[in-house]
Amino acid sequence: MSGAAVLAGLGTFVPPRVVTNDELSLTLDTSDEWIRTRTGITQRHWADPGTATGDLAVEAGRRALAAAGTDTVDLVVLATTTPDHPCPATAPEVAARLGLPHVAAFDLAAVCSGFVYALATAAGAIAAGTATRVLVIGAETYSSILDPEDRTTSVIFGDGAGAVVLRAGEPDEPGALLAHDLGSDGSLKDLIIVPGGGSRQPPAGAEKPGPRPADSYFQMQGRPVFRHAVTRMAASSQAVLDRAGWSADSVGRFVGHQANVRILHAVADQLGMARDRVVVNLDRVGNTSAASIPLALAHAVTEGLVAPGDQVLLSAFGGGVTWGSTALVWPDVPVH
Ligand code: COA
């Protein structure tokens, strides 16, 4: 057995409630036309109150395990920006609810790059021999941290979860993760932030004033984020293409983080890749942060946009700021 990480199954879940642009326009100074033309989004799914990230993660995880035809893993990595609690991590409870008691389980916080970071982390565990099968989940309930009065963020984000099982295998098998690129620039941390609720601005205690209520909400400076997302995703994608020995032209599908269709097209342009290679499902689900790439992958496979043997490039950019990319040849595996 070699140390390559091979994708063995994919599962996804979105909460049933659909929130359209028109519905948001009833309470926010926005319009379906603005949201569609500036972002490409027409609707998103939001969880009902009482449904948390762990609930979505369990559903996606269950489906990924079924798709991979297994009920055992050695490690669960849950990429999320919206854990069920600040402490403990959500992954151990998700593992327990999936019938995977006592396995290693932790959360990974890299915002919208979380899923790509988690793939690289899981591949590292497999290469090191500390795991032979890993459940990697990206799950989010951004609806729980959005300021309902902020039109610049509320129209963009959605809830959902996606998961894959990675197993130890051979580097020349379809599904093997062929190359990774990860990076960050913490000097830009204020571009995407929930300022309150951590150790810098702890929640209100009996004797200490807490953060302003607005500081508990997600805040984003959209314009610079747009610019950095294009630059970093293009450079990171190129690094992975070089490591995999692929040309931009040989990529069958580009499955980029689903933040904005204009960002995805700009990245394709910078790579010299035809825009029709770009997978887009943000119109239906919005930006689901760490869940975005597995949801887009599942969409691409079920719509017949990605078939076994296709060269697939994954790339993401998110808060931190962080970025990352991965390449694989799509394997003949089920999507649930
Ligand atoms: N409805 C209507 N108008 C809106 C609006 C909304 N939902 N949100 C912002 N506007 C307004 C702004 O107030 C601004 O008005 P002004 O010109 O009178 O000041 C105008 O639209 C343009 O705002 P701007 O922020 O420059 O728009 P934009 O073209 O940059 O689009 C984003 C905004 C957020 C869609 C875009 O910047 C973006 O996608 N950024 C990246 C987001 C991202 O990738 N996030 C996740 C990374 S992980």
Side-chain angles (χ1 to χ4, degrees), residues 19-84:
V19 178
T20 63
N21 292 347
D22 284 334
E23 182 177 341
L24 292 178
S25 308
L26 297 175
T27 51
L28 286 166
D29 181 14
T30 190
S31 66
D32 174 55
E33 211 255 330
W34 191 95
I35 301 168
R36 262 189 304 106
T37 53
R38 302 312 292 164
T39 70
I41 298 166
T42 59
Q43 63 171 49
R44 71 288 293 139
H45 294 250
W46 280 358
D48 289 327
T51 298
T53 294
D55 302 322
L56 309 185
V58 166
E59 282 307 319
R62 201 187 312 282
R63 292 174 189 200
L65 291 167
T70 186
D71 54 9
T72 57
V73 298
D74 317 297
L75 170 65
V76 175
V77 184
L78 172 60
T80 188
T81 319
T82 50
D84 290 6

Side-chain angles (χ1 to χ4, degrees), residues 30 34 38 112 151 220 222-223 259-260 262-263 287 317:
T30 190
W34 191 95
R38 302 312 292 164
C112 300
R151 67 178 180 175
M220 180 175 71
R223 215 171 252 199
N260 187 316
R262 293 186 293 135
I263 293 176
N287 180 343
F317 177 87

Side-chain angles (χ1 to χ4, degrees), residues 260-307:
N260 187 316
V261 71
R262 293 186 293 135
I263 293 176
L264 294 170
H265 284 161
V267 173
D269 293 350
Q270 287 210 6
L271 289 171
M273 182 190 294
R275 287 186 175 189
D276 64 9
R277 307 280 169 86
V278 172
V279 170
V280 178
N281 79 325
L282 59 86
D283 52 326
R284 302 161 188 216
V285 295
N287 180 343
T288 56
S289 193
S292 153
I293 285 194
L295 285 172
L297 259 178
H299 165 83
V301 175
T302 53
E303 295 291 313
L305 303 172
V306 165

